[in-house]
Amino acid sequence: MKIIYFFRHPKIGHSIHRVFRTLVNELEKTSEINIYEMPYLGSMPNDLLNNNIYTFKKRDTKAIHHVTGHIHDVLLALFGVKTVLTIHDLVFLDNVKNPIKRCYKWLFWLYLPVKIADKVVCISNETKQNILNKIKADNLTVIHNAVDPIFTYSPKNFNEEKPIILHIGTGWNKNLNMTIEALADINCHLRIIGKLNEIQLNLLEKFKVEYSCILNLTDEEIRQEYINCDIVNFPSIYEGFGMPVIEGQQTGRVVVTSKIEPIVEVAGNAAAFVTPNNIISLKEAYIEIIKNPIYRENLVKDGLKNAKRFSIKNISKQYVELYQNLIKE
């Protein structure tokens, strides 16, 4: 079996690369794998044209062509060959206010790619339903992301005096501002991965939250941050999946996260769920975790069990079945 993976330009971000690297490493044991990255970063017509020309030149009639996400539009260059498209979320539509841009992205990033692809993989049932709310499609299937095997159970004595709370991401959807306010008067150390803006820095000073910040970490350094922390904090207001939830659970840490889809689907019943826009809900979750060891232990135990659903063996098996069924068609 030959599979060609197409990735977005690496300067856009490495999150999709990280997710699929785990899968590719597993499938390389039994399949011939080729990987190509787009030469252009943007999403305007000129970028679309050049990326499609590049993709067309990489076609192979004997291969399965898997577009891994974000660059949905390159499906236009793959008409007539075996294709799989992974859609992580529809933030590219949900956040667009300009009606002309929205129509453009709906056509070239959603409608045409979904209609051209033989199979469309949604990383959550929430993403699948979101697509179906916008277009009719009968080629959708749900396969979750796999957790990287570098994340392994690493027991740690919980620091009740001053827990380290690991917060991953500082973007608009990561809810750091609300987290900072909720942590006022809680003795802790907030460890932030990502670049802080002026508003966030002012909030940290205003509410006197002890913190440190780091960015541009290697995968191994990120893994170590999970090991060092006591609580993984992920109270996002919007997510396509929520990989830090699984990475935290797999490491054996208590996870605080939002009671929204698809995070509820991903986390199972193995996280401290909060209402992300409610400071009291966040504060009560932190206090309960710090003061209640039995609660913590149950969350860790249930989290380890839940993370097994996302093992690379389980997820790669689902992809292999998808590819094999596509070959037979």
Side-chain angles (χ1 to χ4, degrees):
M1 184 163 58
K2 182 176 182 179
I3 308 165
I4 301 175
Y5 288 98
F6 295 95
F7 286 90
R8 64 187 180 181
H9 194 289
K11 286 188 178 180
I12 299 175
H14 290 280
S15 57
I16 293 176
H17 288 71
R18 285 187 63 214
V19 166
F20 274 91
R21 180 196 61 204
T22 304
L23 175 65
V24 168
N25 288 344
E26 184 68 18
L27 293 181
E28 278 182 329
K29 299 173 184 177
T30 56
S31 304
E32 179 183 350
I33 304 293
N34 288 334
I35 295 174
Y36 299 111
E37 296 175 339
M38 292 299 111
Y40 292 86
L41 286 79
S43 59
M44 299 310 291
N46 187 58
D47 302 300
L48 184 153
L49 176 61
N50 286 301
N51 281 337
N52 269 270
I53 291 171
Y54 174 83
T55 301
F56 185 83
K57 292 178 179 179
K58 304 301 181 183
R59 289 162 56 106
D60 185 337
T61 56
K62 297 179 180 179
I64 294 172
H65 305 71
H66 190 154
V67 177
T68 57
H70 186 90
I71 48 167
H72 306 168
D73 50 273
V74 301
L75 262 292
L76 298 173
L78 296 172
F79 192 89
V81 294
K82 300 286 186 181
T83 53
V84 176
L85 168 66
T86 292
I87 298 181
H88 298 266
D89 55 49
L90 298 187
V91 67
F92 61 88
L93 271 183
D94 294 339
N95 278 355
V96 177
K97 305 301 182 184
N98 184 302
I100 296 175
K101 287 184 178 180
R102 184 177 177 84
C103 182
Y104 168 77
K105 291 197 171 185
W106 176 86
L107 180 63
F108 289 105
W109 281 30
L110 182 63
Y111 182 80
L112 290 176
V114 169
K115 296 302 180 181
I116 292 171
D118 294 300
K119 301 291 182 182
V120 176
V121 174
C122 309
I123 64 169
S124 69
N125 285 295
E126 174 74 4
T127 296
K128 179 181 178 180
Q129 189 56 53
N130 200 359
I131 294 170
L132 291 175
N133 288 340
K134 293 175 172 62
I135 61 173
K136 293 182 179 180
D138 58 5
N139 56 344
L140 309 185
T141 189
V142 175
I143 301 179
H144 293 129
N145 290 333
V147 63
D148 194 318
I150 69 170
F151 295 96
T152 57
Y153 176 52
S154 302
K156 179 183 185 293
N157 291 327
F158 190 91
N159 186 345
E160 294 183 351
E161 296 299 318
K162 184 186 284 188
I164 297 173
I165 300 176
L166 178 64
H167 184 96
I168 301 172
T170 56
W172 66 270
N173 60 317
K174 302 302 181 182
N175 210 16
L176 178 57
N177 295 13
M178 195 76 72
T179 290
I180 294 168
E181 189 169 351
L183 288 175
D185 303 321
I186 294 178
N187 191 31
C188 67
H189 182 88
L190 181 60
R191 179 67 163 171
I192 302 165
I193 297 179
K195 186 176 181 180
L196 295 168
N197 61 38
E198 186 175 349
I199 293 174
Q200 292 162 344
L201 288 168
N202 290 338
L203 286 171
L204 287 162
E205 182 178 355
K206 175 182 177 181
F207 292 105
K208 296 180 172 56
V209 175
E210 179 184 310
Y211 77 97
S212 57
C213 181
I214 194 167
L215 62 159
N216 298 325
L217 300 181
T218 65
D219 291 342
E220 175 56 31
E221 288 170 337
I222 291 174
R223 184 183 79 91
Q224 196 60 48
E225 292 293 335
Y226 280 96
I227 293 173
N228 294 341
C229 79
D230 297 287
I231 299 171
V232 174
N233 192 58
F234 200 69
S236 300
I237 58 177
Y238 183 100
E239 287 293 338
F241 188 73
M243 186 57 73
V245 173
I246 306 303
E247 293 169 345
Q249 290 177 338
Q250 183 65 36
T251 308
R253 297 297 177 268
V254 179
V255 177
V256 174
T257 194
S258 301
K259 196 171 184 179
I260 61 172
E261 293 295 354
I263 297 179
V264 173
E265 174 187 338
V266 171
N269 294 315
F273 288 108
V274 298
T275 303
N277 60 352
N278 188 310
I279 292 173
I280 295 175
S281 177
L282 281 161
K283 184 178 286 289
E284 288 178 346
Y286 301 136
I287 292 172
E288 179 69 11
I289 290 167
I290 293 169
K291 292 186 175 181
N292 190 336
I294 295 176
Y295 180 58
R296 293 197 306 265
E297 291 167 7
N298 286 335
L299 285 178
V300 169
K301 180 181 67 176
D302 292 343
L304 288 167
K305 182 178 179 181
N306 181 63
K308 292 179 181 179
R309 293 193 292 141
F310 306 91
S311 71
I312 186 55
K313 294 291 184 183
N314 185 25
I315 300 305
S316 64
K317 180 182 177 182
Q318 295 176 54
Y319 269 107
V320 168
E321 290 176 356
L322 179 78
Y323 294 147
Q324 289 177 341
N325 289 335
L326 183 55
I327 289 172
K328 294 175 183 177
E329 291 180 358

